[in-house]
Amino acid sequence: MDEELERVGESFNHGAFADAAWQGRRFVKCRFIGASFQEAELTECVFEECDFAGAQFNAATLTQCNFSNCRFVSANFFVAQLLQCRLLGADFTEADIGGVTITGCDLSFANFRNQKLKKFDFHDQRLEGADFHAADLTEANFRGADLSGANLTGAILKKTNLVGAILDRIDFRTVTLDKTKLDMSQATYFARCYGAEIG
């Protein structure tokens, strides 16, 4: 692909971008279906409403990139790194995000429905309004994360770490809780949700 910094409405389906080193590029409503970004390094790039269905991001490093409202359906992120990225409304339906490292990212309103996220590390991430419907979050780490308004309907939180997480506007009535780790203020909140009187 040439060095043009901004592309709009173009198709790069099944493109070979392995080992690419992009910085400051912008793509709007572009399609990268089945493209390979294995071991690529993308820095300060913007992808708005782009489609990465089936794309390969294995061992890629994505730093300070904006992927707002992008589709990652069935994409593969094995051992990738997402560093200070913005992924508002990103759709990770059936994506393989096992082993990915997420640091300082905004995943507000992202879709993780039905995902198997055992032992996944979301600590200190922004996940406001994220959708974890029926997700398996066994032993996942949400320490210090912002889960305000997240959808946890039908989710499994077995041995999940919620210490210090913001849990405002979450309905826990259909959530499976088993040895879930809470701090004292959260324990009080849970008790009141289930009708207990404190004190």
Side-chain angles (χ1 to χ4, degrees), residues 4-38:
E4 186 177 345
L5 292 180
E6 181 168 345
R7 311 293 281 268
V8 179
E10 298 186 39
S11 175
F12 303 100
N13 294 344
H14 306 289
F17 306 118
D19 301 312
W22 294 354
Q23 182 164 6
R25 298 192 182 190
R26 184 169 184 261
F27 299 86
V28 179
K29 296 183 178 179
C30 291
R31 296 173 300 285
F32 294 89
I33 297 171
S36 174
F37 288 92
Q38 296 187 63

Side-chain angles (χ1 to χ4, degrees), residues 132 134-139 152-160 162 171-181 190 194:
F132 290 100
D136 186 349
L137 302 170
T138 300
E139 296 186 64
L152 294 173
T153 303
I156 299 172
L157 276 68
K158 182 178 180 179
K159 297 182 180 179
T160 305
L162 295 176
D171 184 354
F172 286 97
R173 288 175 295 181
T174 67
V175 177
T176 299
L177 302 172
D178 184 358
K179 299 181 181 178
T180 306
K181 297 178 182 177
F190 269 74
Y194 287 100

Side-chain angles (χ1 to χ4, degrees), residues 52 57 62 67 70-77 82 86-97 100 102 105-117 120 122 127 130-132:
F52 293 94
F57 288 91
L62 315 177
F67 290 95
C70 288
R71 294 180 73 248
F72 295 102
V73 176
S74 299
N76 194 324
F77 284 86
L82 303 178
R86 195 166 186 257
L87 296 117
L88 271 69
D91 185 357
F92 292 100
T93 300
E94 297 184 354
D96 183 354
I97 53 177
V100 69
I102 300 177
C105 292
D106 188 345
L107 291 149
S108 298
F109 306 102
N111 180 9
F112 298 101
R113 293 174 69 91
N114 304 302
Q115 277 278 14
K116 297 186 184 302
L117 298 169
F120 201 91
F122 283 111
L127 293 154
D131 190 349
F132 290 100

